Amino acid sequence: MENVLLAFGFTLMAGLATGIGSILAFFTSTTNTRFLSLALGFSAGVMIYVSFVEIFFKAQESLVNALGEVTGNWVNVASFFGGMLVIALIDKAIPKQGNPHEVKKVEDMSKSPEEIKNKQLLKMGTFTALAIAIHNFPEGIATFTSTLQDPSLGFAIAVAIAIHNIPEGIAVSVPVYFATGDKKKAFKLSFLSGLAEPVGALAAYLLLMPFLNDLMFGILFAGVAGIMVFISLDELLPASRKYGEAHLSIYGVVAGMMVMSLSLLLFI
């Protein structure tokens, strides 16, 4: 039960980071592209390293115990790519103009009144908030299940997801502000969309916990690894480079991998 409460806490922390992005959008005049480039690269490094070095092999161990060596390995690989397929289908279902992972900057807030009052943006603004909620749901499951297995691992994943939720908060706030001209409403929708993260954790607790044996855990954990690798390659690294700091992006990746490897070594 202690790990369950900790898992909910980590998931909530990661989800509410979208609110930090909103605050940055409203109370700063320029985007710190160097920080975001480095931070997004760092987040990608953490996710990629922990997925391939830790999560994939823990899932493999559970599935081999449950199904035997040959079948367990096949199911592990299938679950890994299955996780990628799930998040890819979610991305595919969201039109580009409403996708919260499309890079936006704080400077985009300074538009003319005519642009802000454009009613055609209302639908897009609301849809963007919904889109980020859909994206955050499987991330909440990933953080929750990882923390149940290993709290130190769950914390690292929560921090990585929180970092990548900050620019998402900006990406949500900008179009919602365009649609309404109301900063409070933009912040509220961005903040609420981040709550999909703990909702995902709650769904995992209510629906999956009663059936969490070696087989279920292995399939779920391998799927989580696939989801995080896909997010890193499809969203975090491209976004990091779009902020115009290509070298900082790769430095961030390496730093994220180093920090993650050291943290895992400390808990051997």
Side-chain angles (χ1 to χ4, degrees):
M1 182 54 67
E2 183 178 334
N3 276 5
V4 169
L5 295 176
L6 195 62
F8 277 118
F10 286 168
T11 310
L12 184 63
M13 174 194 76
L16 295 186
T18 56
I20 297 175
S22 289
I23 292 169
L24 289 175
F26 297 139
F27 295 103
T28 60
S29 57
T30 57
T31 302
N32 189 336
T33 55
R34 292 178 63 83
F35 167 75
L36 286 177
S37 182
L38 186 66
L40 287 170
F42 182 91
S43 179
V46 168
M47 287 190 179
I48 292 170
Y49 187 90
V50 79
S51 294
F52 282 126
V53 174
E54 185 79 359
I55 296 178
F56 184 84
F57 289 104
K58 285 194 174 183
Q60 181 186 49
E61 183 181 349
S62 293
L63 288 169
V64 167
N65 286 339
L67 301 172
E69 187 170 356
V70 175
T71 305
N73 276 288
W74 275 96
V75 172
N76 188 46
V77 171
S79 300
F80 176 82
F81 287 107
M84 285 189 166
L85 179 62
V86 167
I87 197 68
L89 290 174
I90 290 173
D91 256 6
K92 191 71 174 176
I94 298 172
K96 184 178 180 180
Q97 67 271 22
N99 196 312
H101 293 117
E102 290 301 307
V103 170
K104 294 180 176 66
K105 296 182 179 180
V106 171
E107 290 86 335
D108 293 336
M109 297 298 292
S110 56
K111 297 291 183 179
S112 66
E114 290 76 19
E115 287 177 294
I116 293 174
K117 292 177 182 177
N118 187 349
K119 292 183 180 180
Q120 292 179 349
L121 293 171
L122 180 59
K123 183 177 180 180
M124 176 185 151
T126 305
F127 187 73
T128 303
L130 178 61
I132 195 174
I134 294 170
H135 275 82
N136 283 353
F137 189 82
E139 292 172 9
I141 295 175
T143 306
F144 183 80
T145 54
S146 301
T147 305
L148 287 183
Q149 170 66 19
D150 183 345
S152 61
L153 179 65
F155 178 74
I157 292 172
V159 170
I161 290 176
I163 289 171
H164 110 274
N165 278 350
I166 292 174
E168 283 188 1
I170 297 173
V172 171
S173 295
V174 169
V176 173
Y177 177 61
F178 286 172
T180 63
D182 187 341
K183 289 185 177 182
K184 288 184 178 179
K185 184 171 184 178
F187 174 79
K188 181 180 178 181
L189 286 176
S190 176
F191 183 83
L192 289 175
S193 67
L195 293 181
E197 215 91 37
V199 170
L202 183 62
Y205 177 74
L206 295 176
L207 300 177
L208 302 178
M209 281 287 285
F211 310 101
L212 204 58
N213 52 26
D214 276 350
L215 176 61
M216 174 65 74
F217 172 79
I219 291 172
L220 187 62
F221 225 39
V224 163
I227 288 171
M228 293 205 301
V229 170
F230 186 93
I231 288 172
S232 299
L233 299 179
D234 183 61
E235 298 164 7
L236 299 184
L237 290 177
S240 178
R241 295 179 70 88
K242 280 182 182 178
Y243 278 112
E245 300 287 347
H247 289 298
L248 277 180
S249 174
I250 193 63
Y251 297 156
V253 170
V254 174
M257 288 183 172
M258 289 177 64
V259 169
M260 193 66 247
S261 63
L262 288 173
S263 68
L264 292 175
L265 287 171
L266 291 173
F267 288 97
I268 290 178

